[in-house]
Amino acid sequence: MKTKMKPKNMKCPYCGKTAVLRKASYVYKDRALEEYLYVCSGYPECDSYVGVHAGTFKPKGSLANGDLRHKRIETHKLFDAIWKNGIFTRADAYRWIQDIFCLNDSQAHIGQFSEYRCDCLMNECRKVLTNHHVKVA
Ligand SMILES: [Zn+2]
């Protein structure tokens, strides 16, 4: 547990300032679902942050602004629909992402994705879901 609890040095990709590990309530106020967030030190002028994996200080991906956070959530919904509907297993679905973008295991996470890559993955997910007659929004 000790090693997992070491905060990571991260920079904000938007303004270049250092990200600071903070209690999630700093951003979410009363609806803090996650324990900690890496928040841009320019927050709230720079609206950029990312959550951590439960019980660790390990970031879920890169810092993201509102648009990108929203896009990653939408992308995750479409992607999760693929394995939730049993088209691929969850593990195979992640391998499929790796194949599409030529990524390794640690890079193939929506939390690391840019808006452009989210768009590409959403298109690919829609194709797979449509081919398997799964209704998508
Ligand atoms: Zn920033």
Side-chain angles (χ1 to χ4, degrees), residues 25-90:
S25 53
Y26 175 77
V27 169
Y28 293 147
K29 313 296 176 221
D30 52 339
R31 46 178 196 97
L33 297 173
E34 290 165 285
E35 305 159 76
Y36 291 96
L37 300 170
Y38 284 91
V39 184
C40 173
S41 52
Y43 183 88
E45 287 73 32
C46 180
D47 172 33
S48 160
Y49 55 86
V50 67
V52 299
H53 291 281
T56 73
F57 288 162
K58 206 172 156 251
K60 280 184 177 164
S62 59
L63 271 78
N65 65 13
D67 287 348
L68 181 53
R69 287 194 302 268
H70 180 74
K71 196 156 257 191
R72 283 175 178 172
I73 290 166
E74 291 301 301
T75 306
H76 234 301
K77 266 190 219 156
L78 278 178
F79 172 71
D80 291 347
I82 289 177
W83 57 266
K84 280 179 180 163
N85 282 286
I87 297 168
F88 298 145
T89 65
R90 193 165 178 271

